Amino acid sequence: MTDFKPLSEQRQAHAEGVIWDDLMGLVRWTDIATSTLFAYDPGTGRVTGNTLPARLCCFALTHDPGVLLLALEKQVARYDTRDETLHVLADIEPDLVGMRANDGRCDRGGNFVFGTLNERGPEKTASFWRYTHDGNLHRLALPKAAITNSICFSPDGETMYFTDSPTAQIMACDYDAATGEVDRIRVFAELAKGLEPDGSTVDADGFLWNTEWGGSRVTRYSPDGRVDATIDLPAKQPSCVSFAGPGLDRMVVTSAHLGMASPGPFDGAIFIGTPPRGRGLAEARYGHEVRT
């Protein structure tokens, strides 16, 4: 049994990238299909949305309340949710047609790490990128992929998790947040045939929670890759997961009805509930914290 319920009546085609914004007390996520940034206020139950000029694929918090770093389909941009001003910072693979940004989040050093996705087919032409806190964009030395996903970091920041979703494998590597160097690329966990690992997060105990696209569940993995717990959901395509709330003891899971001929009543819902175990970590924010 699970107490996870939709947080609203809305059903979204391709909800992704869910994050708890602790400074603003909001759950934020994107519906890539409609280029919309959503926010949910647990105190009021209200859901609001801001439409962006391009598909929003993932985003990161900054140390400026209400200001986000966005990975739009072909650009990194700074976006102020308070007055909706947007400033483009960098182009993402501008010469590659059919390539767009996909999953991503900040590492523990304040750098924005994200991947791209090949919309033209299964060829492994997508890459993993890092936009540093001093404004430089460079490719990480990780294998090319078709669909990058599952980007998250261990509590100490020294392990990066990632996937090429069609492989049904979640990978891990040693990671240096100061330099972006990676080492010891290895298989962390393998999913059953036909399932695809999508968005992930790591909890305070170093366990990884992964949404299984096609599997109707979220799975918790121990640091050595063993299955520790599962959350079953009434949606076939869970897409991303985040801890939420002031105590980081609640969990929000996005889902999608993208590509489904006959979506069920909960496909595309955003679910909220209490996980069977674990507590979250505060989401890392882009850039250096300014102390006064």
Side-chain angles (χ1 to χ4, degrees):
M1 295 292 292
T2 177
D3 73 342
F4 279 70
K5 306 294 182 186
L7 58 78
S8 77
E9 297 294 323
Q10 292 182 340
R11 301 293 182 263
Q12 293 168 0
H14 197 183
E16 284 276 10
V18 64
I19 287 177
W20 169 248
D21 185 343
D22 55 338
L23 293 184
M24 301 295 287
L26 299 171
V27 177
R28 299 189 186 275
W29 71 92
T30 175
D31 180 12
I32 298 175
T34 61
S35 307
T36 306
L37 171 68
F38 284 95
Y40 165 70
D41 184 337
T44 64
R46 185 178 178 217
V47 176
T48 56
N50 292 12
T51 302
L52 293 159
R55 287 177 294 174
L56 173 60
C57 304
C58 64
F59 58 92
L61 308 173
T62 73
H63 295 285
D64 190 357
V67 176
L68 306 176
L69 190 71
L70 310 183
L72 300 171
E73 52 192 279
K74 299 293 285 185
Q75 294 172 318
V76 177
R78 181 184 185 275
Y79 180 66
D80 193 327
T81 64
R82 298 164 296 189
D83 60 11
E84 299 188 45
T85 56
L86 185 144
H87 177 63
V88 174
L89 302 172
D91 292 324
I92 302 169
E93 300 181 336
D95 299 327
L96 291 182
V97 178
M99 197 72 67
R100 69 161 172 83
N102 200 42
D103 183 60
R105 65 172 8 96
C106 277
D107 65 23
R108 305 293 178 206
N111 307 286
F112 186 35
V113 179
F114 65 92
T116 51
L117 178 153
N118 180 9
E119 295 190 291
R120 289 194 152 191
E123 294 80 14
K124 294 178 181 289
T125 53
S127 300
F128 294 86
W129 293 87
R130 187 170 102 131
Y131 187 74
T132 63
H133 50 66
D134 55 358
N136 292 308
L137 181 63
H138 66 89
R139 183 184 284 108
L140 294 178
L142 294 172
K144 289 294 186 75
I147 304 174
T148 61
N149 258 317
S150 200
I151 296 170
C152 55
F153 299 87
S154 60
D156 64 8
E158 294 180 1
T159 301
M160 175 180 169
Y161 300 97
F162 62 97
T163 186
D164 179 6
S165 289
T167 68
Q169 293 180 326
I170 301 173
M171 307 296 290
C173 67
D174 295 351
Y175 179 81
D176 187 333
T179 64
E181 293 181 359
V182 300
D183 195 14
R184 287 204 319 125
I185 299 169
R186 56 202 181 268
V187 175
F188 170 71
E190 297 199 47
L191 281 64
K193 185 178 180 180
L195 302 180
E196 294 191 3
D198 207 319
S200 294
T201 193
V202 171
D203 65 25
D205 296 317
F207 286 62
L208 182 145
W209 295 80
N210 175 253
T211 48
E212 295 184 4
W213 184 278
S216 302
R217 70 179 188 176
V218 180
T219 298
R220 186 188 197 224
Y221 294 93
S222 64
D224 63 4
R226 292 179 295 107
V227 172
D228 176 75
T230 58
I231 299 170
D232 293 319
L233 296 168
K236 187 174 182 181
Q237 297 175 165
S239 54
C240 198
V241 56
S242 177
F243 285 89
L248 292 171
D249 54 357
R250 299 280 278 167
M251 181 173 277
V252 181
V253 184
T254 55
S255 72
H257 58 72
L258 183 75
M260 300 179 69
S262 301
F266 297 106
D267 291 315
I270 313 301
F271 298 93
I272 189 166
T274 302
R277 63 196 71 170
R279 190 178 296 267
L281 287 166
E283 192 72 28
R285 290 176 174 268
Y286 174 75
H288 288 305
E289 184 174 3
V290 178
R291 299 184 184 276
T292 59

